[in-house]
Each structure stands twice: as structure tokens, then as C-alpha cells.
Amino acid sequence: MNDISQKLSLKQSQNLVMTPQLQQAIKLLQLNNLEIAEFIEEEIEHNPLLEKQESTPENKPDSDDGAPEKNKSADEDFDAGSAMADMGAGGNTSFNKLDNAFENSISRPETLRDHLMKQLQLSIAEPRDQMIAALLIDQLDEAGYLRTSVTELAEKLSCSTDRLGRVLDVLKQFDPTGIFARDLEECLALQLEEQGKLDKPTKLLLENLSLLADKDFKKLAIICDVNETYLLDIISDIKSLNPKPANDFDHIVVQTAIPDVLMKKLPKNLGGGWRVELNNDTLPKVLINNTYYKEVAGTATQKKDKEYLSNKLASANWLVRSLDQRAQTILKVASEIVEQQDAFFNYGIEFLKPLTLKDIAAEIEMHESTVSRVTNNKYIGTPRGIFELKYFFSTALVSDAGVSHSAETIRARIKILIDEEDPNKILSDDKIVSILKGEGIDIARRTIAKYREALHIPSSVQRRKQKKNQ
């Protein structure tokens, strides 16, 4: 029979305690600038010691690195650009040593942009194509039309119009139907095509919508080569369509994503390169009104009043320091991404470098989870458009020589080789392997086949048959 006994023992262990202050600090890091502005408004409502100072040209940072200016005077109001200080036990807002993830989502109505971005994630895998798609989403007008020409957008990204056109073809299949149309005619055509009603008479009617607006049914019937009854049926179908797909989202105006970070090209006399700074137009400056605190504290006699003021001052100081830490962290991550992807900004989409969260985390000596929070739902305004920070990350293949190549770069190279192949000398997958190896890219034949299929490119046998029949 086993003896049952009780023993006392000491065990020493380390674990991360997620204090309310640290949880709140992590939440602030996850919010974008617009969400931060809303959060600050709420805090100001509940804390009489806080006040907001809107950004002006006079108080924007002038330093080349875009870092917020430091306010080192202890007698002046303490702001979000002040020097950081440790907050003592339970109040540290540093993210550098954080290992555990803390998820916090903000409840808000789904916008058209949110709706389209969800579909993008499911429909488009390549980071380059995702960036192109994100740019196209941000070019939609309030009706849901894409008015900017494909040529103009391709020039902005330094990519081919064919590639941009292929991405656009995918986007035109998104819900709501009719989205990304260049005009009313195409918007209605997309909806009718989905319903299987886009026959020749209907196409002719769509090409003459001005006559429909004038109610010139007799002329329309002649143009469409149908009788008046058939024409009225077509018109009835058209009237049932939605000429403004964006209206399905409670008339929310589709706007370009507001960048949290801005980058500008520096002139040669300043050394060239890029300058990265926070978008202060969307990020209000928070001040602690020490003058008001001193006045009220001087008249407070009851213990509960003194405790109230003390708690509000501690809360205000915590918020200001947390905002400053957030700003420094975002700038640090964004600046490193810009440095790593310099070739993309200078030469275009085909030069997107393979990059991971771990790469950035190692360079700036922060935890990978911190980099993940910073890059999610944060946007950067660049000369090539506005992109979510996470789109600058892509997988890489490493050759035997240790050279790293972006998987997307290899896909693009395969596409170019096949597009340019001689119709009389169709490239087999083995031949493509040989060509890429000569270019310093070691890749297996089965990987070539996988990438080719992902690009919807037929096999060499199928391509040979197709080109013989052309």
C-alpha cells in the first residue's frame, strides 16, 4: 500500500505576467493612426488632465529620420514626443522582450475595402500581385469604379500592363458584382454576364445607354435588331441592376487607405535615400496640462480627491509614454522595411526582395511578434502608392551557393521565359530549370511545374499544340 504524505517545496520559475498596463500598451501598438485618434478622444473625455493639440506645420518633426521631437523641459507640458522613462513595476510599455502574443480586435462596421481585402487574401497568393491588387482597391471611387487607367497604374508600379490587367481580371470577379468596372457600361455588363443575360442585343443596348436615357426605344430596337417587347425585357433586366456597387455598403465612401507612415525621397544635397516619418496629420498630439493639475491639486483637501488626481496623472503619463513608445517602434520597423526594399521603391514591383518578419526583428533587435503587430493594419504612403506594411514580406528560396531568391521573382522569371519562347522551340520544365541554373537560381523541376500551374500556364506539350493551331 502506497504511503500518502504532504510535502512543502519551493520552485523557482520565470513567466511573463500580462498586466493591464502592458495589455493596453500592446493594444495601442496594434491600432492604426485613425483608431489611435479615436482612442485618444475617449481618453480625453475621461481624463481632465489630458488635452489634444492638433498637428501643425510648426510642430511637425524636422529631423531627417522623422523621429518625433523631444521635449526635455520638466516645467513644460509633457507630450507624446517626450523622452521615454521606465514606469516601474507593472507599467512598462516596452515591447522588445515580449514573447507571448496578445490579440485584441476592434469591433467596427465592415467597409467595402475590408470586404474586398478579405477576398484578395483568398484569391491572390503572390505578394507582388497582392500589392498591385491593394493599389487597385485604393483607386476605387465612391461608386466602386476604377477610373484610373491601367497604363497609368502600371507606370506607378513599374510593372507590365499585362500583369496588372491579369490582377484586375481577378478583382472584377469579386463581390459585389460590377466592382472595378471602368464605367457604367462595363459595370452593368459584368452583372448581366454573371446572370447569363449578356447576349448580343443586350451588348448593343449597353453601348447606347444615352439613347436609353432619352427613352428613344424605337431607335434602340432598330440598333439591337429586336422587337419592342424583347427590348422592354432587356431594359427591365438593366433596371434591376446596381449601377453603384459600393452602395451595397451603406453608402460608405470608398477612400484610399490613410497611411500611418510616410516616406519621401531626400534630395541629393541631403544625402539622398529615403526619409520615413509618422503621418502627423492623422495622429493628434496629446498633452498633460500640468498647470491645471497644480491648480486643482492645491485646492484638494479630501483624501479621495487627492487619490483621484493622482490616478488621473499616472494614467495620463502612462498614455503619453505609451504613445511615444508606439511611435518609435513603428518608425523603427517601417524604416528597416524601407531600407530592405529599397530596390522595389527605386525600380518597381519585379525587384521586391524576399523578406520575413524574422529578418526585420533580427535587424532592429525586437521580437517577431512585435514586428507582426506593427505591420498588420498599418499603411505606408510611398511614391508608388499606399501599401500595407505586411505586403513587403515574401518567401525566399535559397540556392546551394547560399543566394536568396524571392519565390515571386522566380515566378515572374518563369512567366517571362515562357512568354518569350520561340513557337518552334517550346521550353520544357527541364529546360527552364537549366536556364535558371545558368542564372544562379537552383530550383527543382517539380517546383517549376508547381509555379507554372499557379500561373495558369499549360505544360510544354499543351503549349506546343496551342501554338500550332494559332
Side-chain angles (χ1 to χ4, degrees):
M1 186 174 184
N2 294 331
D3 292 333
I4 299 175
S5 61
Q6 293 181 329
K7 294 181 180 179
L8 291 174
S9 61
L10 294 175
K11 183 179 179 181
Q12 188 176 24
S13 63
Q14 287 184 331
N15 64 315
L16 179 66
V17 179
M18 296 290 287
T19 65
Q21 292 91 341
L22 184 54
Q23 291 179 5
Q24 192 75 294
I26 295 171
K27 174 184 174 181
L28 292 184
L29 186 61
Q30 294 179 163
L31 301 181
N32 60 35
N33 280 8
L34 295 182
E35 291 166 340
I36 280 288
E38 293 176 5
F39 176 82
I40 289 173
E41 292 288 352
E42 293 177 2
E43 289 297 307
I44 289 175
E45 287 181 11
H46 296 96
N47 194 332
L49 300 182
L50 286 171
E51 59 184 36
K52 183 177 68 175
Q53 176 184 328
E54 299 290 352
S55 296
T56 62
E58 288 74 24
N59 58 39
K60 283 186 179 180
D62 292 324
S63 58
D64 288 345
D65 61 2
E69 295 177 324
K70 305 295 182 182
N71 182 351
K72 299 180 180 178
S73 172
D75 297 328
E76 296 176 359
D77 287 341
F78 194 86
D79 62 31
S82 61
M84 287 298 297
D86 289 334
M87 298 186 61
N92 193 346
T93 59
S94 176
F95 311 107
N96 295 353
K97 303 299 182 183
L98 184 61
D99 291 331
N100 294 2
F102 175 77
E103 303 301 331
N104 193 311
S105 60
I106 304 301
S107 177
R108 60 180 180 181
E110 184 180 57
T111 65
L112 176 59
R113 189 178 198 283
D114 295 333
H115 185 63
L116 295 173
M117 292 299 287
K118 286 180 180 178
Q119 296 175 75
L120 186 160
Q121 298 296 334
L122 296 173
S123 304
I124 301 177
E126 290 188 348
R128 284 182 178 80
D129 289 343
Q130 285 185 346
M131 293 178 74
I132 293 172
L135 176 69
L136 294 177
I137 288 174
D138 289 333
Q139 295 294 317
L140 292 175
D141 66 11
E142 62 184 46
Y145 293 168
L146 184 67
R147 305 289 188 180
T148 312
S149 71
V150 169
T151 302
E152 184 180 340
L153 292 168
E155 288 177 357
K156 181 179 286 189
L157 280 171
S158 293
C159 71
S160 69
T161 54
D162 287 343
R163 180 170 196 165
L164 196 145
R166 288 196 301 272
V167 174
L168 183 56
D169 287 340
V170 175
L171 295 178
K172 286 181 180 179
Q173 304 304 312
F174 282 11
D175 176 75
T177 309
I179 205 76
F180 291 101
R182 62 182 178 273
D183 52 30
L184 177 60
E185 178 186 335
E186 185 180 15
C187 177
L188 300 178
L190 287 169
Q191 295 177 57
L192 289 166
E193 185 177 20
E194 183 184 61
Q195 298 174 14
K197 298 178 179 179
L198 192 61
D199 56 13
K200 185 176 179 180
T202 304
K203 288 180 181 179
L204 291 171
L205 192 151
L206 292 177
E207 292 172 3
N208 294 274
L209 287 175
S210 59
L211 293 177
L212 179 59
D214 294 337
K215 297 184 178 181
D216 193 342
F217 300 144
K218 186 175 181 180
K219 190 171 183 179
L220 274 175
I222 295 172
I223 291 174
C224 298
D225 194 22
V226 294
N227 58 40
E228 189 171 336
T229 302
Y230 195 100
L231 179 68
L232 292 176
D233 287 340
I234 296 175
I235 294 173
S236 177
D237 289 336
I238 290 176
K239 286 183 176 180
S240 70
L241 305 176
N242 186 355
K244 296 182 178 181
N247 281 2
D248 290 346
F249 289 79
D250 298 325
H251 302 280
I252 295 175
V253 177
V254 180
Q255 296 178 333
T256 297
I258 306 299
D260 303 270
V261 183
L262 302 171
M263 62 175 288
K264 304 173 184 176
K265 200 168 187 66
L266 290 172
K268 290 183 179 179
N269 64 327
L270 293 179
W274 304 99
R275 171 178 174 173
V276 180
E277 60 186 30
L278 292 177
N279 184 2
N280 288 326
D281 289 340
T282 62
L283 193 62
K285 204 171 187 180
V286 182
L287 307 175
I288 298 176
N289 194 330
N290 283 321
T291 303
Y292 178 69
Y293 170 75
K294 290 174 184 177
E295 289 178 0
V296 177
T299 61
T301 56
Q302 297 187 23
K303 183 180 179 181
K304 64 176 183 179
D305 293 334
K306 291 181 178 180
E307 288 180 351
Y308 172 81
L309 285 173
S310 178
N311 290 336
K312 290 301 180 183
L313 181 61
S315 177
N317 274 297
W318 169 85
L319 176 62
V320 167
R321 291 187 174 109
S322 295
L323 290 173
D324 186 63
Q325 176 69 21
R326 173 187 179 274
Q328 300 302 328
T329 304
I330 292 174
L331 278 175
K332 203 170 184 180
V333 172
S335 297
E336 186 60 32
I337 290 174
V338 169
E339 183 174 342
Q340 294 286 342
Q341 298 292 6
D342 179 70
F344 161 73
F345 295 115
N346 281 310
Y347 307 115
I349 197 79
E350 300 301 334
F351 292 85
L352 190 69
K353 177 182 176 181
L355 190 66
T356 66
L357 296 172
K358 189 175 181 180
D359 295 332
I360 296 295
E363 287 293 330
I364 63 177
E365 298 181 348
M366 286 186 177
H367 196 272
E368 192 173 332
S369 62
T370 301
V371 178
S372 177
R373 292 186 185 94
V374 169
T375 55
N376 190 45
N377 201 29
K378 306 286 192 316
Y379 294 84
I380 181 169
T382 80
R384 295 193 179 277
I386 298 175
F387 302 103
E388 192 169 4
L389 287 173
K390 70 178 182 181
Y391 285 129
F392 293 100
F393 297 97
S394 62
T395 56
L397 296 177
V398 181
S399 68
D400 293 338
V403 179
S404 180
H405 302 280
S406 166
E408 283 65 46
T409 299
I410 296 173
R411 289 191 187 98
R413 182 62 182 138
I414 292 171
K415 178 70 170 59
I416 291 171
L417 287 173
I418 293 176
D419 286 346
E420 296 177 350
E421 67 186 353
D422 187 335
N424 298 317
K425 294 181 179 180
I426 300 298
L427 299 176
S428 66
D429 290 347
D430 286 326
K431 182 60 177 177
I432 294 174
V433 168
S434 177
I435 293 173
L436 292 179
K437 190 170 184 178
E439 297 176 355
I441 302 174
D442 294 328
I443 186 170
R445 180 186 177 279
R446 63 179 178 275
T447 307
I448 293 289
K450 182 179 73 173
Y451 286 175
R452 177 175 50 72
E453 290 169 3
L455 293 167
H456 305 292
I457 297 174
S459 67
S460 57
V461 175
Q462 292 172 317
R463 297 200 308 276
R464 189 174 290 110
K465 289 180 180 179
Q466 289 174 356
K467 293 186 178 182
K468 278 184 178 179
N469 295 328
Q470 288 180 353

